[in-house]
Amino acid sequence: MTERESDVNPFLQGNFGPWRMEGVAGDLEVAGAIPRELNGTYYRNGPNPAFEPPGRYHWFDGDGMIHAITLGDGRASYRNRYVLSNGLKEERAAGRALHSGLLDLNPTEAPSFKNTGNTNIVWHAGRLLALMEAAFPTRMRPDTLDTLGEFDFDGRLIGPMTAHPKMDPETGEMLFFGYSPFPPFLQYHVADRTGALVRSEAIDVAWPSMMHDFAVTKDHVIFILCPLVFSFENMAARGGPFSWEPERGTRLGVMPRSGGNADVRWFQTDASYVFHPMNAFADGDEIVLDVARYGRLDFMSRQGVDNLDYRDDTAARMHRWRIDLRGGGVKSTPLDDITAEFPRIDERRLGRRHRFGYTAAREPELNAGGRPVWSAIRKYDLERGTTETRRFGAGNGVGEPLFVPRAETSAEDDGWVLVLVYDQARDTSEFTILDARDVAGEPVATVRLPHRVPYGFHGNWVGA
Ligand SMILES: [Fe+2]
């Protein structure tokens, strides 16, 4: 009998392993008190392969599953559903996986592609969209989590959409981009506050790359072009479609929001990879861009995934870039020496000067092995240069922290940090509400979920 991928792949084991039941649970047990101001739903997306993978599995491959925790009147309920993509429907009909993953792309065959919708879930203009960066958004029903189907902005979106659109807190616009290994390699898009796609423009880039996220300020858009180059030669030897070519360096493309492709200026910095910026803002003639920066990226090939070690410079650390729009340089300053990812801010500060940020962090003494288990939540005060850390213990991994303000007008860190925490001893998960002004202190409330929620990617809060 041949070995199953789930017997050998660490991303299919422990709390990385899929949870395959869909269900609903009301009146969950709560320790502490859920703040009455928290009225709404936290949606979280992540990869959750519905069937045993047919070949090598990459963490980015799994079918999307939405976990929704609804809070109101101090009570909590839970619901989870798959993003029911066309690909998953075919696989359910067949009773087995039909689509191979990222590490098994075969350039000589027609791509067998599945829009897993597994990366993020966002709310804009009355639509709940599950996103994965290589495809159209998938529209979901916010109450039942039924999949409504792919959404192409009424036929106006040509090409894929990033999983990391930016909602401008003043204009209500949704700014986003899409990248592709084939021309046009990069396109920039704007949806207005009603959700209508009002602008699409191809942006020239020096090479095709996997661009996971970007940044915006009040007046600029910043594209992050890293030396992770799409290359379909020697794919078998390299173990994937990407080639890490550090001699190219990393380039930051700054475009005025009032301008277009002809106005993009590129700024050079040391070779590095960024999945996630924390935020960007203008500071005089400079743009400040805080990012979770990897010195190199080994995560996108078979060999790299097999040999990951989160102690070395393959791990992300928070970092500040200052782009000098007048002088032309990029000043590069580490903000922290602890490994951290999934940076978030108060979304009301998006594109504006932020003082506080939140990440999932790894503690050095727990840094072993090749799986990104984040065991702490770390708050940054970037004005004072201080951090605060809430530890959950080895094996009790956390997900992306999400800040929710107490009220529309409350101060930047007056609110809560919502985070899913795995409880390894009980093999279940908890939804933890931390006081954003006392992240290291005891949680304000802990909601016991009916079962574990696998480690995933991104989530957002939608007020009732
Ligand atoms: Fe992401």
Side-chain angles (χ1 to χ4, degrees), residues 119-120 133 163-164 212-213 275-276 341-342 400 457-458:
T119 311
N120 199 355
E133 65 199 42
H164 288 285
H212 182 69
D213 196 347
F275 282 105
H276 303 119
E341 247 288 8
F342 297 106
E400 175 188 63
F457 298 138
H458 303 288

Side-chain angles (χ1 to χ4, degrees), residues 276-410:
H276 303 119
M278 180 177 265
N279 190 35
F281 60 88
D283 186 16
D285 287 331
E286 295 180 327
I287 288 176
V288 176
L289 173 53
D290 290 345
V291 298
R293 178 188 181 275
Y294 296 75
R296 63 176 207 271
L297 190 70
D298 287 345
F299 195 54
M300 299 310 297
S301 71
R302 286 170 178 235
Q303 293 88 335
V305 168
D306 287 344
N307 297 305
L308 274 186
D309 186 333
Y310 273 73
R311 282 168 297 204
D312 64 17
D313 65 357
T314 59
R317 290 175 178 86
M318 289 309 301
H319 200 90
R320 175 161 284 190
W321 282 325
R322 271 185 179 274
I323 306 168
D324 184 346
L325 297 181
R326 189 187 292 236
V330 178
K331 194 174 149 201
S332 190
T333 314
L335 292 174
D336 198 0
D337 53 4
I338 294 289
T339 301
E341 247 288 8
F342 297 106
R344 295 294 296 254
I345 53 156
D346 178 341
E347 293 291 318
R348 298 171 303 170
R349 306 302 307 159
L350 187 121
R352 283 71 179 165
R353 183 184 294 269
H354 60 283
R355 174 173 171 186
F356 302 107
Y358 310 87
T359 64
R362 292 200 89 189
E363 297 153 280
E365 64 275 21
L366 304 180
N367 268 0
R371 287 186 299 179
V373 175
W374 313 95
S375 51
I377 294 297
R378 197 156 169 90
K379 177 185 180 183
Y380 293 76
D381 180 337
L382 297 158
E383 208 169 285
R384 288 198 184 153
T386 57
T387 59
E388 255 183 281
T389 304
R390 165 88 198 170
R391 300 184 164 81
F392 292 88
N396 299 336
V398 300
E400 175 188 63
L402 180 69
F403 174 82
V404 179
R406 183 180 304 273
E408 263 179 53
T409 54
S410 48

